[in-house]
Amino acid sequence: MSDHDTPRAGQAWDAAGYVHHASFVAERGSDIFAALAPVPGEAILDIGCGDGALTAKIAAEGAAVTGLEPDPSMAAAARARGLEVLEQDARTPFGNSRFDAVFSNAALHWIRDPEPALANAFAALKPGGRFVAEQGGFGNVAAIRIALEAALGAKGLGPAAEPWDFPTPAVQAARLERAGFRVLQIGLVPRPTPLPTGWEGWLATFGAPFLGELSDAARRAVVADCAARLSVLTDETGTAHADYMRLRFSAVRP
Ligand code: BEZ
């Protein structure tokens, strides 16, 4: 295995840190929430519900929502909101013909082999049920990746293994169809995203697959170099803008 094939660390979550650095993830979920259009009384599953910020909005519409979240810290934060949470990976089955809708925001890209998760979403839906999701799509955070790899390379560190799945609409539509879905809508939406705690906050929250096993000093140096390389995406007020590219889709179980 070359350096390129070796993840430096897995992604670990800390619910308090996530709220501080990344509350924009749920706040920016309003378009996909609108596409879900939850109806009172519907049974809805939220894949990768995180700390439940958006899941609670679904519940507030009167739906009977269940979160699915494998990380214990995030699952506990979601339960603290009074939400029901299945603490498991989406690649493990989560029900048969139980839900009117399956929803997901900013979670599917963490699943490198998504086909089992898509098959589980299909199985968990009632016939006629919908799957509405947003995730990172093709080209997502490309500038951050290039800057990070250049900063790692300058330290003599090779790139880590790809931790994310950012598919094109064609690739994700084909996967959904193989799982049995009829795809109603799918497309990429560029969404430059101001970062409340800058490049440092973003890398501290999401950078573990690249930075996780470095010493503190090496990590600080790589983060500072990466932030300098990203100055072209830092505006006149000093606000960093992540080059997010969202993939949104809506599909139905026939
Ligand atoms: C995203 O939401 O697109 C994303 C967040 C962190 C790492 C990778 C992708």
Side-chain angles (χ1 to χ4, degrees):
M1 227 183 217
S2 71
D3 251 5
H4 197 267
D5 300 318
T6 311
R8 293 217 169 74
Q11 179 69 48
W13 300 109
D14 154 44
Y18 194 86
V19 168
H20 182 59
H21 294 300
S23 54
F24 65 84
V25 173
E27 289 158 11
R28 291 299 192 106
S30 51
D31 287 348
I32 201 66
F33 175 80
L36 174 67
V39 168
E42 280 191 315
I44 298 181
L45 181 93
D46 182 2
I47 294 181
C49 71
D51 66 7
L54 210 44
T55 327
K57 278 188 68 178
I58 298 172
E61 295 298 309
V65 65
T66 304
L68 187 149
E69 174 55 53
D71 181 81
S73 160
M74 291 297 210
R79 288 196 183 102
R81 296 178 191 267
L83 296 165
E84 185 193 328
V85 180
L86 295 175
E87 199 169 319
Q88 65 163 78
D89 193 291
R91 289 167 298 183
T92 303
F94 43 83
N96 275 316
S97 306
R98 274 181 64 188
F99 296 102
D100 298 292
V102 172
F103 175 76
S104 185
N105 179 51
L108 295 176
H109 49 245
W110 292 102
I111 306 174
R112 287 285 299 152
D113 53 338
E115 307 242 5
L118 303 185
N120 290 336
F122 183 89
L125 282 167
K126 299 173 185 171
R130 63 200 188 281
F131 185 14
V132 178
E134 176 171 320
Q135 64 176 107
F138 182 69
N140 195 43
V141 296
I144 299 178
R145 288 294 302 275
I146 291 166
L148 195 47
E149 291 188 3
L152 288 164
K155 279 247 160 232
L157 296 159
E162 177 60 61
W164 303 310
D165 177 54
F166 297 144
T168 61
V171 163
Q172 193 68 320
R175 290 171 179 163
L176 287 161
E177 283 163 7
R178 276 197 296 277
F181 285 104
R182 186 156 53 85
V183 178
L184 302 179
Q185 190 276 327
I186 189 162
L188 291 172
V189 182
R191 199 202 65 200
T193 300
L195 300 176
T197 58
W199 301 117
E200 291 77 6
W202 193 92
L203 290 165
T205 310
F206 300 116
F210 301 90
L211 304 170
E213 286 184 356
L214 303 190
S215 68
D216 283 353
R219 186 166 52 247
R220 273 198 299 274
V222 169
V223 167
D225 185 7
C226 184
R229 290 172 193 272
L230 286 164
S231 61
V232 69
L233 288 176
T234 306
D235 72 16
E236 69 288 352
T237 71
T239 302
H241 296 254
D243 56 331
Y244 275 19
M245 176 69 77
R246 315 319 288 166
L247 176 69
R248 292 187 188 142
F249 65 81
S250 170
V252 67
R253 174 176 174 169

